[in-house]
PDB file of all heavy atoms in Angstrom:
ATOM      1  N   ALA A1662      -8.165  71.821  -5.156  1.00 98.00           N
ATOM      2  CA  ALA A1662      -8.630  70.713  -4.336  1.00 98.00           C
ATOM      3  C   ALA A1662      -8.083  70.810  -2.894  1.00 98.00           C
ATOM      4  O   ALA A1662      -6.957  71.306  -2.744  1.00 98.00           O
ATOM      5  CB  ALA A1662      -8.226  69.420  -5.003  1.00 98.00           C
ATOM      6  N   ASN A1663      -8.877  70.384  -1.932  1.00 98.00           N
ATOM      7  CA  ASN A1663      -8.366  70.341  -0.579  1.00 98.00           C
ATOM      8  C   ASN A1663      -7.062  69.557  -0.454  1.00 98.00           C
ATOM      9  O   ASN A1663      -6.210  69.812   0.308  1.00 98.00           O
ATOM     10  CB  ASN A1663      -9.426  69.768   0.353  1.00 98.00           C
ATOM     11  CG  ASN A1663     -10.603  70.715   0.538  1.00 98.00           C
ATOM     12  OD1 ASN A1663     -10.447  71.939   0.454  1.00 98.00           O
ATOM     13  ND2 ASN A1663     -11.770  70.191   0.762  1.00 98.00           N
ATOM     14  N   SER A1664      -7.067  68.406  -1.258  1.00 98.00           N
ATOM     15  CA  SER A1664      -5.811  67.629  -1.367  1.00 98.00           C
ATOM     16  C   SER A1664      -5.807  67.047  -2.727  1.00 98.00           C
ATOM     17  O   SER A1664      -6.809  66.744  -3.331  1.00 98.00           O
ATOM     18  CB  SER A1664      -5.777  66.567  -0.268  1.00 98.00           C
ATOM     19  OG  SER A1664      -6.858  65.626  -0.408  1.00 98.00           O
ATOM     20  N   ALA A1665      -4.576  66.940  -3.283  1.00 98.00           N
ATOM     21  CA  ALA A1665      -4.455  66.347  -4.681  1.00 98.00           C
ATOM     22  C   ALA A1665      -3.121  65.568  -4.728  1.00 98.00           C
ATOM     23  O   ALA A1665      -2.066  65.993  -4.164  1.00 98.00           O
ATOM     24  CB  ALA A1665      -4.485  67.436  -5.664  1.00 98.00           C
ATOM     25  N   CYS A1666      -3.181  64.432  -5.472  1.00 98.00           N
ATOM     26  CA  CYS A1666      -1.966  63.724  -5.672  1.00 98.00           C
ATOM     27  C   CYS A1666      -1.736  63.402  -7.170  1.00 98.00           C
ATOM     28  O   CYS A1666      -2.796  63.432  -7.936  1.00 98.00           O
ATOM     29  CB  CYS A1666      -1.967  62.383  -4.829  1.00 98.00           C
ATOM     30  SG  CYS A1666      -3.281  61.246  -5.322  1.00 98.00           S
ATOM     31  N   VAL A1667      -0.598  63.112  -7.566  1.00 98.00           N
ATOM     32  CA  VAL A1667      -0.301  62.925  -9.009  1.00 98.00           C
ATOM     33  C   VAL A1667       0.726  61.770  -9.135  1.00 98.00           C
ATOM     34  O   VAL A1667       1.566  61.622  -8.318  1.00 98.00           O
ATOM     35  CB  VAL A1667       0.217  64.220  -9.620  1.00 98.00           C
ATOM     36  CG1 VAL A1667       1.468  64.696  -8.940  1.00 98.00           C
ATOM     37  CG2 VAL A1667       0.513  63.947 -11.141  1.00 98.00           C
ATOM     38  N   HIS A1668       0.427  60.890 -10.139  1.00 98.00           N
ATOM     39  CA  HIS A1668       1.385  59.826 -10.382  1.00 98.00           C
ATOM     40  C   HIS A1668       1.544  59.631 -11.924  1.00 98.00           C
ATOM     41  O   HIS A1668       0.529  59.796 -12.646  1.00 98.00           O
ATOM     42  CB  HIS A1668       0.847  58.538  -9.788  1.00 98.00           C
ATOM     43  CG  HIS A1668       1.880  57.442  -9.752  1.00 98.00           C
ATOM     44  ND1 HIS A1668       1.839  56.394 -10.592  1.00 98.00           N
ATOM     45  CD2 HIS A1668       2.949  57.221  -8.973  1.00 98.00           C
ATOM     46  CE1 HIS A1668       2.875  55.591 -10.313  1.00 98.00           C
ATOM     47  NE2 HIS A1668       3.551  56.115  -9.379  1.00 98.00           N
ATOM     48  N   MET A1669       2.750  59.312 -12.334  1.00 98.00           N
ATOM     49  CA  MET A1669       3.032  59.169 -13.710  1.00 98.00           C
ATOM     50  C   MET A1669       3.807  57.835 -13.927  1.00 98.00           C
ATOM     51  O   MET A1669       4.599  57.432 -13.164  1.00 98.00           O
ATOM     52  CB  MET A1669       3.884  60.354 -14.119  1.00 98.00           C
ATOM     53  CG  MET A1669       4.667  60.229 -15.404  1.00 98.00           C
ATOM     54  SD  MET A1669       5.934  61.511 -15.537  1.00 98.00           S
ATOM     55  CE  MET A1669       7.370  60.537 -16.000  1.00 98.00           C
ATOM     56  N   SER A1670       3.523  57.188 -15.106  1.00 97.00           N
ATOM     57  CA  SER A1670       4.161  55.883 -15.331  1.00 97.00           C
ATOM     58  C   SER A1670       4.667  55.765 -16.756  1.00 97.00           C
ATOM     59  O   SER A1670       4.967  56.713 -17.448  1.00 97.00           O
ATOM     60  CB  SER A1670       3.282  54.748 -14.908  1.00 97.00           C
ATOM     61  OG  SER A1670       3.959  53.544 -14.747  1.00 97.00           O
ATOM     62  N   THR A1671       4.823  54.453 -17.225  1.00 95.00           N
ATOM     63  CA  THR A1671       5.609  54.190 -18.380  1.00 95.00           C
ATOM     64  C   THR A1671       5.058  54.841 -19.661  1.00 95.00           C
ATOM     65  O   THR A1671       5.809  55.023 -20.596  1.00 95.00           O
ATOM     66  CB  THR A1671       5.682  52.668 -18.647  1.00 95.00           C
ATOM     67  OG1 THR A1671       4.358  52.118 -18.552  1.00 95.00           O
ATOM     68  CG2 THR A1671       6.478  51.989 -17.525  1.00 95.00           C
ATOM     69  N   GLY A1672       3.769  55.132 -19.769  1.00 96.00           N
ATOM     70  CA  GLY A1672       3.289  55.836 -20.949  1.00 96.00           C
ATOM     71  C   GLY A1672       3.898  57.198 -21.175  1.00 96.00           C
ATOM     72  O   GLY A1672       3.870  57.626 -22.274  1.00 96.00           O
ATOM     73  N   VAL A1673       4.479  57.754 -20.126  1.00 97.00           N
ATOM     74  CA  VAL A1673       5.268  58.976 -20.211  1.00 97.00           C
ATOM     75  C   VAL A1673       6.777  58.747 -20.163  1.00 97.00           C
ATOM     76  O   VAL A1673       7.488  59.311 -20.952  1.00 97.00           O
ATOM     77  CB  VAL A1673       4.869  59.984 -19.127  1.00 97.00           C
ATOM     78  CG1 VAL A1673       5.608  61.289 -19.280  1.00 97.00           C
ATOM     79  CG2 VAL A1673       3.405  60.210 -19.062  1.00 97.00           C
ATOM     80  N   ASN A1674       7.131  57.737 -19.271  1.00 97.00           N
ATOM     81  CA  ASN A1674       8.519  57.456 -19.182  1.00 97.00           C
ATOM     82  C   ASN A1674       9.183  57.128 -20.524  1.00 97.00           C
ATOM     83  O   ASN A1674      10.296  57.483 -20.793  1.00 97.00           O
ATOM     84  CB  ASN A1674       8.738  56.161 -18.289  1.00 97.00           C
ATOM     85  CG  ASN A1674       8.281  56.322 -16.902  1.00 97.00           C
ATOM     86  OD1 ASN A1674       7.906  57.422 -16.433  1.00 97.00           O
ATOM     87  ND2 ASN A1674       8.307  55.242 -16.105  1.00 97.00           N
ATOM     88  N   MET A1675       8.438  56.427 -21.352  1.00 97.00           N
ATOM     89  CA  MET A1675       8.897  55.901 -22.634  1.00 97.00           C
ATOM     90  C   MET A1675       8.891  56.977 -23.743  1.00 97.00           C
ATOM     91  O   MET A1675       9.293  56.629 -24.909  1.00 97.00           O
ATOM     92  CB  MET A1675       8.158  54.647 -23.057  1.00 97.00           C
ATOM     93  CG  MET A1675       8.409  53.495 -22.134  1.00 97.00           C
ATOM     94  SD  MET A1675       7.355  52.073 -22.648  1.00 97.00           S
ATOM     95  CE  MET A1675       7.894  50.807 -21.538  1.00 97.00           C
ATOM     96  N   GLY A1676       8.490  58.098 -23.428  1.00 97.00           N
ATOM     97  CA  GLY A1676       8.477  59.188 -24.428  1.00 97.00           C
ATOM     98  C   GLY A1676       9.914  59.826 -24.505  1.00 97.00           C
ATOM     99  O   GLY A1676      10.776  59.353 -23.911  1.00 97.00           O
ATOM    100  N   ARG A1677      10.020  60.884 -25.248  1.00 98.00           N
ATOM    101  CA  ARG A1677      11.312  61.467 -25.500  1.00 98.00           C
ATOM    102  C   ARG A1677      11.797  62.407 -24.309  1.00 98.00           C
ATOM    103  O   ARG A1677      12.953  62.739 -24.283  1.00 98.00           O
ATOM    104  CB  ARG A1677      11.345  62.262 -26.796  1.00 98.00           C
ATOM    105  CG  ARG A1677      11.333  61.381 -28.049  1.00 98.00           C
ATOM    106  CD  ARG A1677      11.260  62.205 -29.313  1.00 98.00           C
ATOM    107  NE  ARG A1677       9.911  62.721 -29.504  1.00 98.00           N
ATOM    108  CZ  ARG A1677       9.587  63.424 -30.567  1.00 98.00           C
ATOM    109  NH1 ARG A1677      10.481  63.812 -31.464  1.00 98.00           N
ATOM    110  NH2 ARG A1677       8.353  63.876 -30.676  1.00 98.00           N
ATOM    111  N   GLN A1678      10.843  62.698 -23.383  1.00 98.00           N
ATOM    112  CA  GLN A1678      11.147  63.629 -22.357  1.00 98.00           C
ATOM    113  C   GLN A1678      10.670  63.193 -20.931  1.00 98.00           C
ATOM    114  O   GLN A1678      10.189  63.973 -20.189  1.00 98.00           O
ATOM    115  CB  GLN A1678      10.618  64.982 -22.679  1.00 98.00           C
ATOM    116  CG  GLN A1678      11.112  65.517 -24.075  1.00 98.00           C
ATOM    117  CD  GLN A1678      10.587  66.804 -24.472  1.00 98.00           C
ATOM    118  OE1 GLN A1678      11.090  67.855 -24.089  1.00 98.00           O
ATOM    119  NE2 GLN A1678       9.487  66.826 -25.237  1.00 98.00           N
ATOM    120  N   GLY A1679      10.896  61.916 -20.730  1.00 98.00           N
ATOM    121  CA  GLY A1679      10.385  61.328 -19.450  1.00 98.00           C
ATOM    122  C   GLY A1679      10.995  61.963 -18.238  1.00 98.00           C
ATOM    123  O   GLY A1679      10.286  62.097 -17.228  1.00 98.00           O
ATOM    124  N   THR A1680      12.250  62.326 -18.306  1.00 98.00           N
ATOM    125  CA  THR A1680      12.885  62.870 -17.140  1.00 98.00           C
ATOM    126  C   THR A1680      12.348  64.230 -16.782  1.00 98.00           C
ATOM    127  O   THR A1680      11.991  64.577 -15.599  1.00 98.00           O
ATOM    128  CB  THR A1680      14.447  63.000 -17.283  1.00 98.00           C
ATOM    129  OG1 THR A1680      14.946  61.720 -17.529  1.00 98.00           O
ATOM    130  CG2 THR A1680      15.142  63.578 -16.056  1.00 98.00           C
ATOM    131  N   LEU A1681      12.154  65.125 -17.776  1.00 98.00           N
ATOM    132  CA  LEU A1681      11.561  66.425 -17.547  1.00 98.00           C
ATOM    133  C   LEU A1681      10.085  66.297 -17.070  1.00 98.00           C
ATOM    134  O   LEU A1681       9.637  67.026 -16.190  1.00 98.00           O
ATOM    135  CB  LEU A1681      11.628  67.287 -18.806  1.00 98.00           C
ATOM    136  CG  LEU A1681      13.007  67.674 -19.318  1.00 98.00           C
ATOM    137  CD1 LEU A1681      12.863  68.671 -20.482  1.00 98.00           C
ATOM    138  CD2 LEU A1681      13.900  68.269 -18.206  1.00 98.00           C
ATOM    139  N   ALA A1682       9.372  65.367 -17.643  1.00 98.00           N
ATOM    140  CA  ALA A1682       8.012  65.169 -17.193  1.00 98.00           C
ATOM    141  C   ALA A1682       7.911  64.728 -15.761  1.00 98.00           C
ATOM    142  O   ALA A1682       7.072  65.235 -14.988  1.00 98.00           O
ATOM    143  CB  ALA A1682       7.343  64.119 -18.079  1.00 98.00           C
ATOM    144  N   TYR A1683       8.809  63.838 -15.314  1.00 98.00           N
ATOM    145  CA  TYR A1683       8.789  63.393 -13.852  1.00 98.00           C
ATOM    146  C   TYR A1683       9.187  64.571 -12.999  1.00 98.00           C
ATOM    147  O   TYR A1683       8.646  64.727 -11.881  1.00 98.00           O
ATOM    148  CB  TYR A1683       9.711  62.254 -13.694  1.00 98.00           C
ATOM    149  CG  TYR A1683       9.463  61.450 -12.437  1.00 98.00           C
ATOM    150  CD1 TYR A1683       8.164  61.134 -12.036  1.00 98.00           C
ATOM    151  CD2 TYR A1683      10.545  60.995 -11.678  1.00 98.00           C
ATOM    152  CE1 TYR A1683       7.971  60.386 -10.842  1.00 98.00           C
ATOM    153  CE2 TYR A1683      10.337  60.259 -10.477  1.00 98.00           C
ATOM    154  CZ  TYR A1683       9.019  59.938 -10.136  1.00 98.00           C
ATOM    155  OH  TYR A1683       8.865  59.251  -8.970  1.00 98.00           O
ATOM    156  N   TRP A1684      10.106  65.408 -13.376  1.00 98.00           N
ATOM    157  CA  TRP A1684      10.485  66.600 -12.629  1.00 98.00           C
ATOM    158  C   TRP A1684       9.231  67.497 -12.512  1.00 98.00           C
ATOM    159  O   TRP A1684       8.914  67.941 -11.361  1.00 98.00           O
ATOM    160  CB  TRP A1684      11.570  67.404 -13.429  1.00 98.00           C
ATOM    161  CG  TRP A1684      11.749  68.791 -13.161  1.00 98.00           C
ATOM    162  CD1 TRP A1684      11.795  69.465 -11.922  1.00 98.00           C
ATOM    163  CD2 TRP A1684      11.844  69.880 -14.111  1.00 98.00           C
ATOM    164  NE1 TRP A1684      11.979  70.784 -12.053  1.00 98.00           N
ATOM    165  CE2 TRP A1684      11.993  71.073 -13.380  1.00 98.00           C
ATOM    166  CE3 TRP A1684      11.858  69.911 -15.481  1.00 98.00           C
ATOM    167  CZ2 TRP A1684      12.102  72.360 -14.086  1.00 98.00           C
ATOM    168  CZ3 TRP A1684      12.005  71.157 -16.116  1.00 98.00           C
ATOM    169  CH2 TRP A1684      12.124  72.260 -15.422  1.00 98.00           C
TER     170      TRP A1684
END
Side-chain angles (χ1 to χ4, degrees):
N1663 289 330
S1664 60
C1666 62
V1667 56
H1668 193 257
M1669 161 196 135
S1670 198
T1671 52
V1673 184
N1674 298 353
M1675 293 176 174
R1677 286 177 285 180
Q1678 303 179 85
T1680 301
L1681 294 187
Y1683 197 44
W1684 157 49

